[in-house]
Amino acid sequence: VTPAVRARAVAVGAVAVAALALAACSDDSPSILDHHGPEARHVAGVWWLMFGLATAVYVIVAGLVIFAILRGRRRSQPSEGEAGVAAASGGPSESAFIWAGGIVAPVVILAVLAVVTVTTTRDVRRAQPGELQIEVTAKRWWWDVRYPESGVVTADEIHIPAGRPIDFVLRSDNVVHSFWVPQLAGKVDTIPGQTNHLRLEAETPGTYLGQCAEYCGIQHARMGFQIIADSPADFDRWLARRSGAGTGPTSEPTARGQLVFMREACAGCHTIRNTEATGTLGPDLSDFGSRQWIGSVTLRNTPGNLADWIRDPQEPKPGNLMPPTNLPPAELDALVAYLESLQ
Ligand SMILES: [Cu+2]
């Protein structure tokens, strides 16, 4: 075994180990291969086709390289002399080989991929009967979510009924973002001044992580969201609770918290239904107490984290558009109690 062959073997081994490590480190992040709906299954199908073709090309090319190396070494043995080398070059079979491998095969492979990509894109965009429309507007750096049929408004956590096709109506009121839930569908950009559609269906109830997939500014990385697919009965209950009149504060501390909220700048940036708070720069907080996260999948929604967030939202999510607020502890506690009571 020559040093060159040994070096090559080491390189191949390193690539194999890196590939295994990459495959093993994706525990938390959702994978398009772990699909939970028809649109995502289509996308994964295209992925597997591309992967299969790429693997075939790689194996064939690598096999030919190894073959050429072995043959070249045998040719360059001193006993064979110059004649062997001369016989190895030129000839009609070699130019046919270059035509087939260098032109015909790439054209065929790229044509197959083009056709499959175009038909898949058409299939996943087709309107389905019985669709539920949900309007999502990308903000900096969170997602405004509206259900036009029922007038319900929420943020970052998008409840949908499992087993029903959804038509997301996607907009942006600032820069370009991209709406992506890898386990349920491909990604579609939200573009200022334009309305795009993304269709998907979750086959099974569950929570599917989404992420802004187009660089959009300082907090692009923390512009996450969730699609929560409920059973149809749970979804109807969820929607009914939010389309009602809203309960208002039910205890002394929450009533005090509501006063603090209306008195501070909060109400100028946030909406809470059936109150004077109608701001739109920040997320609608009407059902904040039932949400799982604060700041688009930045902090778990617990009273402690909420107090930290109100005190200084810039610490966990630097550069976001909510300013710090300095309140006496009793007022902060009341405010936290009020927000956590909102369902
Ligand atoms: Cu974004």
Side-chain angles (χ1 to χ4, degrees):
V1 177
T2 66
V5 170
R6 210 176 301 126
R8 216 168 293 124
V10 168
V12 169
V15 169
V17 169
L20 284 175
L22 276 179
C25 75
S26 59
D27 276 353
D28 291 343
S29 35
S31 164
I32 64 161
L33 301 181
D34 178 25
H35 44 82
H36 286 264
E39 289 78 12
R41 198 162 43 242
H42 272 98
V43 174
V46 177
W47 189 94
W48 279 111
L49 177 67
M50 292 174 97
F51 181 70
L53 288 171
T55 306
V57 168
Y58 178 79
V59 167
I60 290 169
V61 171
L64 289 174
V65 168
I66 291 169
F67 173 75
I69 290 167
L70 294 179
R71 193 175 70 160
R73 280 207 303 150
R74 226 175 293 126
R75 285 277 151 69
S76 59
Q77 306 280 303
S79 58
E80 268 187 48
E82 297 293 301
V85 176
S89 57
S93 75
E94 251 175 54
S95 71
F97 185 77
I98 288 169
W99 275 95
I103 295 176
V104 177
V107 166
V108 169
I109 290 173
L110 292 179
V112 167
L113 287 178
V115 169
V116 171
T117 306
V118 168
T119 55
T120 303
T121 307
R122 187 201 57 202
D123 289 348
V124 300
R125 283 194 183 159
R126 194 175 286 139
Q128 308 284 335
E131 277 177 347
L132 173 69
Q133 246 191 20
I134 302 177
E135 297 174 352
V136 175
T137 304
K139 309 288 252 188
R140 279 178 302 160
W141 285 270
W142 55 279
W143 305 86
D144 178 85
V145 180
R146 284 161 203 266
Y147 297 74
E149 279 170 38
S150 50
V152 169
V153 181
T154 184
D156 298 332
E157 292 180 22
I158 309 173
H159 283 256
I160 65 169
R164 181 167 170 193
I166 312 293
D167 172 21
F168 282 105
V169 181
L170 301 175
R171 301 190 180 92
S172 166
D173 69 356
N174 48 91
V175 298
V176 178
H177 303 263
S178 187
F179 183 91
W180 189 31
V181 191
Q183 289 167 291
L184 295 179
K187 49 184 102 147
V188 167
D189 282 3
T190 67
I191 298 170
Q194 187 176 321
T195 301
N196 286 343
H197 289 260
L198 175 96
R199 296 191 154 84
L200 61 76
E201 179 183 328
E203 278 165 341
T204 43
T207 299
Y208 305 100
L209 209 57
Q211 173 63 39
C212 177
E214 178 66 52
Y215 180 69
C216 58
I218 187 165
Q219 275 306 340
H220 168 62
R222 291 214 182 80
M223 190 169 165
F225 60 103
Q226 288 184 315
I227 288 194
I228 301 173
D230 300 315
S231 71
D234 283 349
F235 176 75
D236 288 343
R237 261 194 297 279
W238 180 87
L239 208 60
R241 187 136 46 103
R242 275 152 194 85
S243 28
T247 48
T250 52
S251 69
E252 202 275 316
T254 56
R256 225 164 354 111
Q258 188 181 42
L259 289 179
V260 176
F261 190 90
M262 300 307 158
R263 184 197 72 206
E264 295 291 326
C266 324
C269 287
H270 293 283
T271 295
I272 297 178
R273 85 191 130 106
N274 300 312
T275 71
E276 306 103 79
T278 53
T280 55
L281 189 73
D284 188 303
L285 299 176
S286 303
D287 66 347
F288 177 76
S290 66
R291 301 216 281 257
Q292 297 171 2
W293 294 93
I294 303 169
S296 316
V297 196
T298 297
L299 296 173
R300 280 276 169 199
N301 184 1
T302 65
N305 283 344
L306 179 57
D308 288 346
W309 172 269
I310 294 170
R311 225 180 279 122
D312 187 9
Q314 298 299 317
E315 210 275 317
K317 194 168 176 177
N320 90 77
L321 300 183
M322 174 162 156
T325 305
N326 201 355
L327 289 172
E331 292 197 347
L332 182 60
D333 287 351
L335 186 55
V336 167
Y338 170 58
L339 291 175
E340 295 293 10
S341 77
L342 296 172
Q343 300 285 319

